[in-house]
């Protein structure tokens, strides 16, 4: 066999392997998730008119109607084939303490929500193992907690159930690191129900989270987006 034929055969084998790798990523690993754009509608079956009393109200998150999720951009090594992976969980708990009207926080009680990171699931088990064990290290840091400090942007002129565009500031405790962050929030409040979509983008390094790859084959980009969709009801 001539050297030329050996080189041609080797190049063909490499091309086949690359094509197989691309096909495997495209059909079995790649995901193309999209961010939500609006707060959930007010569920008609939950809506009631709260008793008047002028004091604040406590809205408790309804877990099975809520979701916390991450969105991370992935890329196949050396090729411009991007995708967006999503991992989500409904294990979210917390309470919003608000004044009688609007979205101002009732400062007499802490407004917090906590997400169980150990239950985050994407559409691929391999990705989930990497995220749990090497990224978020959920054996050591099983939860993420946000404590709210301030809400701005409420427009009293809008109808009760119309979506508001707000900014929610506070402290996020994630991966053993506490940082002040500000979420972009779209929210509705009608009667005894609030719904909200909160979005936050940051770099993994901000919370000491390593940027992952899958066997040097699929790499994750530096930034991640968190979204929390909440339905909460006042007692």
């Amino acid at each position: 066999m001539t050297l030329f034929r050996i080189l041609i055969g080797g190049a063909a084998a490499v091309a086949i392997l690359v094509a197989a790798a691309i096909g495997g990523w495209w059909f079995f690993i790649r995901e193309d998730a999209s961010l939500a754009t609006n707060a959930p509608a007010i569920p008609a079956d939950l809506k009631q008119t709260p008793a008047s009393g002028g004091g604040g109200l406590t809205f408790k998150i309804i877990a099975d109607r809520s979701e916390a999720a991450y969105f991370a951009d992935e890329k196949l090594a050396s090729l411009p084939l991007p995708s967006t992976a999503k991992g989500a969980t409904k294990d979210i708990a917390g309470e919003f303490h608000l004044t009688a009207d609007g979205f101002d926080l009732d400062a007499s009680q802490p407004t917090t929500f906590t997400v169980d990171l150990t239950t985050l699931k994407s559409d691929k088990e391999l990705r989930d193992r990497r995220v749990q064990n090497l990224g978020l290290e959920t054996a050591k840091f099983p939860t993420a907690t946000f404590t709210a400090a301030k809400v701005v942007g409420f427009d009293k002129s809008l109808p009760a159930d119309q979506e508001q565009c707000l900014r929610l500031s506070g402290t996020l405790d994630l991966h053993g690191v506490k940082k002040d962050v500000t979420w972009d929030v779209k929210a509705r409040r009608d009667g005894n129900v609030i719904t909200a979509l909160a979005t936050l983008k940051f770099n993994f390094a901000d919370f000491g989270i390593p940027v992952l790859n899958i066997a040097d084959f699929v790499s994750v980009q530096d930034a991640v987006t968190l979204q929390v969709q909440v339905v909460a009801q006042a007692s």
Side-chain angles (χ1 to χ4, degrees), residues 103-124:
F103 285 93
D104 291 331
L105 299 177
D106 180 355
S108 67
Q109 302 182 73
T111 287
T112 67
F113 65 81
T114 297
V115 178
D116 183 352
L117 302 178
T118 66
T119 59
L120 283 169
K121 297 288 185 184
S122 71
D123 66 339
K124 298 293 183 294

Side-chain angles (χ1 to χ4, degrees), residues 93-181:
E95 294 179 341
F96 297 88
H97 301 284
L98 305 180
T99 54
D101 297 313
F103 285 93
D104 291 331
L105 299 177
D106 180 355
S108 67
Q109 302 182 73
T111 287
T112 67
F113 65 81
T114 297
V115 178
D116 183 352
L117 302 178
T118 66
T119 59
L120 283 169
K121 297 288 185 184
S122 71
D123 66 339
K124 298 293 183 294
E125 185 177 347
L126 174 59
R127 180 190 293 118
D128 295 338
R129 290 199 302 268
R130 294 274 177 167
V131 169
Q132 297 279 344
N133 299 332
L134 301 180
L136 296 175
E137 298 179 280
T138 54
K140 292 191 292 185
F141 311 109
T143 62
T145 298
F146 176 75
T147 302
K150 185 179 180 180
V151 178
V152 298
F154 175 64
D155 186 349
K156 293 183 178 180
S157 68
L158 296 179
D161 61 348
Q162 187 165 328
E163 189 172 78
Q164 298 270 350
C165 292
L166 311 171
R167 300 271 286 171
L168 175 63
S169 300
T171 302
L172 179 60
D173 185 347
L174 171 64
H175 197 245
V177 177
K178 293 182 179 181
K179 290 185 70 72
D180 292 336
V181 299

